[in-house]
Amino acid sequence: MKLAVLFSGGKDSTLALFKASKVHEIGCLVSLCSQNEESYMFHVPNIHLTELQARAMELPLITVKTSGIKEEELKDLKAALLLAKKEHDIQGVVTGAVRSVYQAQRIQKICHQLDLWCFNPLWLLDQMKLLQEVLKYQFTVIISGVFSYPLDQSFLGRVIDEQIVKILGDFQSQYGVNPAGEGGELETTVLDAPMFKRKIVITDSVTKYAHHAGVYMIKSAELVEKW
Amino acid sequence: MVTNVLIVSTCSDPLSNLEFVKPLSALLERHGHVVKEIHYRDVNSQNLARADKILISGTSLKDFEYLKDIDRFEWILSTRVPILGICAGCHVLGVAMKETLEETLLIGKYLVKKTNAVKTARLPLRSSAFEAYFLTSRFVKHPKHFDTSATVNDMPVIIEHRTLPLVGCLFHPEVLNPDLIMTFIEQ
């Protein structure tokens, strides 16, 4: 089956893509670029990097700008998936949904309307296990957004490694933080993964942080050969 | 007490297994139970003999291979191991018992209301009404061999066989109501 992957460039959609690619052909990536920072569905820092990530994986990318207004953005998602169906002959869609019933049900409905299969390979996956899989498969993932105490500026731009996973696990026990950020506590950006034929190196970035929230914005980056 | 649970997958696509079977396994293993996952085409008498409880999983909304293969579920009629059929698994229990499936479309959260029709209570419901997550395009219409213990807008969403230890649940309790699965396993 040929599939489109709803791709934000973060660890969840990239891990979902990785799992799907073991079973099916990936026809294209679909990224929705939300103009609304409050978007429930699609807002992520560094969404512009999906273009470079798609090139790194040598996969076609469909990028659609969306107003990000609640429910309106679903029309944009539907249009994007319809385009993927027409241009890449996809039969199904993969998402990185883990726990969000809000997201999952809306994507399921759109897939049903478009007669597409819908796959959520991370669905209900334990968040610590999700992070451990990211390490196991040797993804290079940085934290590109923090939005909850006790996550602070020091986490921005850091690579998720065993030490960070342990800290996030401790925060889960002490503060109830979702360690993989399923509650919106953190956002991530993937720089390298097994499907990447070249990896991403950041050449310029800026960190913004205030009132327990911040982002690590990648201003420029390039692809380099992998050893 | 540790229970040996056989999870029978209805998924024709291995990617769906991650979504509909693995969450059930993870839930049961977190509670210390022993789980064996098997595809419905591979069920044999040995697996059945070792099981204390059986779950029949759901699958993707577009997946109906299991209904074409309903002969592969004949063991449901002879085993006396309690079975909980979830979504597609509920369809399987209904069709295996010669009930009729009717088309509908339920995607997302719906309010489930308990009825007073069930005396056996193989799946006791603590609340008279609760939210549950649905992903289905079929339901068992006017079941003749099952009592209806819960409904959504008068549609049967939890059904219990009158004589056999079979419970069908049209929604996915692993998403919002994992306690229901644990009640079935541990009671």
Side-chain angles (χ1 to χ4, degrees):
Chain A
M1 201 185 298
K2 204 170 177 185
L3 302 176
V5 178
L6 280 183
F7 187 67
S8 68
K11 62 178 170 34
D12 296 347
S13 59
T14 311
L15 185 59
L17 160 59
F18 173 63
K19 288 175 183 251
S21 69
K22 289 181 169 181
V23 185
H24 294 292
E25 178 188 354
I26 306 302
C28 66
L29 308 177
V30 174
S31 291
L32 270 85
C33 187
S34 176
Q35 311 298 301
N36 178 5
E37 291 189 6
E38 303 300 320
S39 165
Y40 285 93
M41 292 285 286
F42 304 119
H43 182 75
V44 288
N46 297 319
I47 190 73
H48 61 282
L49 208 69
T50 53
E51 192 182 330
L52 201 59
Q53 291 166 317
R55 277 171 48 204
M57 289 184 273
E58 297 177 4
L59 286 170
L61 172 70
I62 293 174
T63 304
V64 173
K65 282 190 179 173
T66 174
S67 62
I69 297 166
K70 199 174 182 182
E71 305 305 337
E72 280 293 311
E73 59 192 356
L74 297 176
K75 290 179 186 168
D76 298 322
L77 172 61
K78 189 174 177 181
L81 293 179
L82 195 58
L83 191 63
K85 197 174 173 180
K86 280 181 184 165
E87 288 193 353
H88 299 284
D89 197 26
I90 57 147
Q91 290 101 48
V93 175
V94 179
T95 88
V98 180
R99 259 274 160 208
S100 172
V101 166
Y102 178 88
Q103 279 189 343
Q105 67 184 8
R106 281 161 175 75
I107 295 167
Q108 288 279 2
K109 281 179 186 170
I110 290 171
C111 287
H112 179 75
Q113 289 162 7
L114 298 178
D115 194 27
L116 292 168
W117 287 71
C118 185
F119 296 108
N120 300 287
L122 308 186
W123 189 235
L124 304 183
L125 182 61
D126 176 82
Q127 293 194 49
M128 285 303 285
K129 281 191 180 160
L130 192 157
L131 290 174
Q132 281 151 8
E133 288 200 13
V134 163
L135 297 183
K136 177 182 164 188
Y137 295 117
Q138 299 184 313
F139 283 47
T140 303
V141 181
I142 59 164
I143 295 175
S144 49
V146 292
F147 307 98
S148 173
Y149 180 84
L151 294 164
D152 60 21
Q153 190 168 6
S154 68
F155 288 87
L156 289 170
R158 281 185 71 175
V159 171
I160 293 182
D161 55 15
E162 283 185 20
Q163 189 190 2
I164 289 281
V165 171
K166 186 183 178 312
I167 292 169
L168 292 170
D170 291 343
F171 285 174
Q172 181 181 31
S173 313
Q174 292 171 36
Y175 304 101
V177 168
N178 291 291
E182 188 57 19
E185 294 92 337
L186 61 91
E187 294 286 353
T188 59
T189 302
V190 176
L191 304 180
D192 190 16
M195 314 78 73
F196 281 45
K197 295 184 171 60
R198 289 180 289 169
K199 65 181 179 183
I200 294 170
V201 171
I202 298 164
T203 51
D204 192 13
S205 65
V206 62
T207 298
K208 294 177 182 173
Y209 183 85
H211 309 298
H212 303 299
V215 290
Y216 177 84
M217 292 300 297
I218 298 170
K219 292 173 75 178
S220 66
E222 61 188 21
L223 295 177
V224 300
E225 297 303 319
K226 289 168 76 169
W227 285 85
Chain B
M1 196 177 86
V2 175
T3 305
N4 292 315
V5 185
L6 183 67
I7 302 181
V8 178
S9 168
T10 58
C11 304
S12 67
D13 193 298
L15 208 49
S16 294
N17 241 46
L18 299 176
E19 186 174 347
F20 298 101
V21 176
K22 291 294 176 193
L24 298 174
S25 297
L27 172 67
L28 296 172
E29 284 168 354
R30 272 202 303 278
H31 284 80
H33 300 294
V34 177
V35 175
K36 166 86 175 165
E37 296 172 8
I38 194 162
H39 192 264
Y40 71 82
R41 289 187 180 135
D42 301 320
V43 171
N44 59 43
S45 53
Q46 271 189 332
N47 308 140
L48 296 170
R50 287 178 189 154
D52 301 313
K53 296 282 170 72
I54 297 172
L55 301 183
I56 305 178
S57 80
T59 185
S60 171
L61 200 56
K62 265 181 74 70
D63 188 357
F64 295 107
E65 283 301 305
Y66 61 97
L67 287 179
K68 295 176 191 165
D69 268 347
I70 204 69
D71 292 348
R72 301 271 195 159
F73 293 94
E74 278 183 350
W75 51 268
I76 288 172
L77 306 175
S78 54
T79 185
R80 290 299 172 263
V81 179
I83 302 173
L84 173 61
I86 295 170
C87 194
C90 179
H91 302 162
V92 165
L93 295 182
V95 175
M97 292 295 154
K98 311 294 182 198
E99 304 284 5
T100 307
L101 295 184
E102 176 95 349
E103 289 196 9
T104 185
L105 186 63
L106 295 176
I107 299 175
K109 284 198 277 190
Y110 291 85
L111 188 67
V112 173
K113 290 183 179 170
K114 184 180 173 181
T115 71
N116 295 315
V118 175
K119 305 287 181 283
T120 52
R122 294 191 177 93
L123 189 62
L125 302 175
R126 292 194 187 111
S127 308
S128 57
F130 56 92
E131 277 197 321
Y133 183 71
F134 288 78
L135 187 60
T136 189
S137 60
R138 303 279 191 284
F139 73 102
V140 179
K141 191 181 182 187
H142 304 315
K144 296 181 286 292
H145 308 288
F146 293 83
D147 287 323
T148 298
S149 61
T151 60
V152 168
N153 301 330
D154 295 327
M155 181 191 304
V157 298
I158 301 180
I159 54 175
E160 297 197 8
H161 196 275
R162 293 197 183 112
T163 54
L164 300 174
L166 310 176
V167 181
C169 179
L170 200 61
F171 56 88
H172 286 270
E174 70 274 21
V175 180
L176 299 176
N177 325 91
D179 54 314
L180 275 184
I181 296 174
M182 298 321 300
T183 300
F184 173 79
I185 297 296
E186 294 175 351
Q187 74 175 339

